[in-house]
Amino acid sequence: MAGLDTYSLCLDLPVWSNLLPFNANSSNPATALFTMGLSTRSLDTYLQTIPITKNGVLALIEGNSGMMLAASTPNISVDWPVQYPAVGNPNGLVSAAAYEISKRFSALDPAVNGTAAIGAIADTVQSNFDFGYGGDTIYCSTAWIASSTTDLSLLLILVIPSGDFLGE
């Protein structure tokens, strides 16, 4: 997925109403295929409308590559043709959080897996923790959005410095 500007999501979902007479068996329901195109630019634009805090960041990271997909702070995810990594990101807070996540969850650690990937982590895992950065306590909330059946692998992080709560 890394390096793409637009993602296409296909969903094959059961249709429970208006079943055709020859397929009225509820154990084998009719299905419909839905597709949706989603651009990283629209994700970036949407996340930038979400009020976080003065210095807080909400970021979406592609799990198999560790590359940024979108963020609530401009110019830190994708500036085509450049796509920024999470670890080593121009935003120090995002980079520190991604590094801290890689220490806590070795699936993100390139030294352990050879790539900065979260694909090895089980379907949808959430975690909350804090860590020190720049003399401040940073609160971090993560949600892995993953599916082994669809190869979906995303990491959503919310990072907020304690100083934003304390009025510093």
Side-chain angles (χ1 to χ4, degrees):
M1 278 188 164
L4 295 177
D5 185 27
T6 303
Y7 298 86
S8 179
L9 304 175
C10 297
L11 304 171
D12 189 14
L13 301 173
V15 178
W16 295 100
S17 61
N18 299 324
L19 292 175
L20 299 173
F22 61 84
N23 193 20
N25 182 349
S26 63
S27 65
N28 186 18
T31 61
L33 183 63
F34 299 91
T35 62
M36 172 179 69
L38 185 61
S39 82
T40 54
R41 291 177 192 174
S42 63
L43 270 173
D44 225 25
T45 301
Y46 173 71
L47 289 184
Q48 290 172 24
T49 66
I50 299 173
I52 308 297
T53 63
K54 179 180 172 184
N55 299 300
V57 179
L58 180 63
L60 185 63
I61 301 167
E62 205 283 316
N64 293 316
S65 68
M67 301 299 283
M68 298 285 291
L69 288 177
S72 61
T73 300
N75 305 319
I76 67 167
S77 59
V78 179
D79 186 13
W80 294 106
V82 176
Q83 185 176 19
Y84 295 106
V87 176
N89 191 276
N91 181 294
L93 195 58
V94 169
S95 183
Y99 177 73
E100 187 67 28
I101 291 166
S102 75
K103 286 189 338 186
R104 292 171 183 266
F105 305 98
S106 63
L108 258 180
D109 189 348
V112 174
N113 290 323
T115 63
I118 63 166
I121 295 176
D123 297 356
T124 311
V125 176
Q126 295 182 342
S127 175
N128 299 298
F129 57 90
D130 59 74
F131 63 96
Y133 172 74
D136 201 354
T137 299
I138 309 300
Y139 301 111
C140 186
S141 182
T142 65
W144 281 271
I145 306 160
S147 170
S148 55
T149 58
T150 64
D151 200 31
L152 176 68
S153 183
L154 302 172
L155 173 62
L156 184 65
I157 65 170
L158 174 63
V159 186
I160 301 175
S162 63
D164 283 8
F165 295 115
L166 303 174
E168 297 173 0

